[in-house]
Amino acid sequence: MSYPFPPPSEESRRAMEQRAEVSAHGPVFAWITPTGRCNLYCTHCPIRSVPKIPDDAPDMSLEVIEHIVRDVVPTLETVKIGGNNNGEAVLARNFDEFYARIQRPGLRPWIITNGTLLRPDQIDRLAAAGAVIDFSMDAATEAGHKRIRGRGYENLMASIRGAVEARDRHAATGAQVWASPTVFLDNLLDMPDVVQMALELRLDGVRMSNLMPQTEAQRYQSLVYHRAEANRVFEECRKLADGASLTLITPAVFEVPAMKTNSKVKLEVPARDPCIHPWTSVSIDEKGLVHPCCVSDQVLGDLSKDSFATIWNGRRYRKLRRKVNSSNPPLYCRRCVLRGSTGATLSPEAKDQDLLAAIGSSRAIDPIQSLIFFLMERTERSKLAKARRCTGCCGRSTCAEARSRRGPAPLPRHALRSWRGGCQGPQP
């Protein structure tokens, strides 16, 4: 199996080129997560910008799992468990049942995990099914891991070693073990050690991704501001992996332009490969909300209210397929870092503005983007005001429950759909 996955079928490409609004075939790739909760609180996680999801928050319901098993799984070739929200999939209370239900012959599971909670029996079942076990690992040493993820280094290393042993026991299934660090200034110099460790542990591959900052506090951790050093480190990593059995995927080389005397900014929209995801992929979060991919938080349907067949060719999906590759794509698609990829890694065509778009740095580059961000922020402020109002006990925004739900404003889009809470009964 390659990483990223092989290109989509000719049928899907023809549908994309014709901008067919109705897809005769269901999705072949899905991001599905059974929980939004996580046992860690990593320094670079988007959840840092919002209140942490409480431990008693609900996981994916059996009703939604049943919808997925009946309507989504039959056409899938690969299911990516996790990676489309900020939760740790293994933390789900019903993870074992969830995983058992979505399995079928020919379907390759791909789990993204921080590795701190995986049990040996779970690892063995994943390897026996030919899964890709993808560990989120941002440093090779315990000190580096603790600096970024806080705890769990020993459990992570035990899980990685156990996954390699299980892969070898079930070699006929084609199971693979990967490490996927998110790279930013604080751990950039650790990347050669990560590659060296992967070689020593006999991992199948390492995929490095650029940090996409969510807050101003994370802005200058982005490698956009450290281009030459990032290029040097990634080249060192490639030399370490050269000739070895390890597959290494690094971010695209940063352009480091020469200094110019002309300070005039040229406004241009970079050319992109067309997006294939509305015809091939789907993302489903723990609440059963359906999204077009793991990057977008646009809600296209709710499995607790409608069947997947109704959503897949419903009004919102048809509109997305009509517009996504037009000259006027949806706002949430215009700076997408997944555009042009097949879903396994960021697009190599992602530009600096795209990597920083979540915190609005492109405002200084593109005035149109400035207006877009202004309108989006105004909408989010309005949504936040509604989210702060308790509607179950007294309807007033001053009650204890409403006060407990207040968070920093404005709230990012991805946080709104992960917002937990609700009335706990009459307030004193």
Side-chain angles (χ1 to χ4, degrees), residues 48 73 174 189 238 272 289 294 388 410:
R48 282 280 182 173
V73 169
L189 298 182
R238 286 188 285 268
R272 294 291 181 82
L289 300 180
C294 68
R388 286 173 170 171

Side-chain angles (χ1 to χ4, degrees), residues 64 66 131 172 185 201 211 257 274 300 309 390:
V64 171
E66 180 60 32
L185 180 60
L201 294 178
L211 169 72
L300 302 181
C390 177

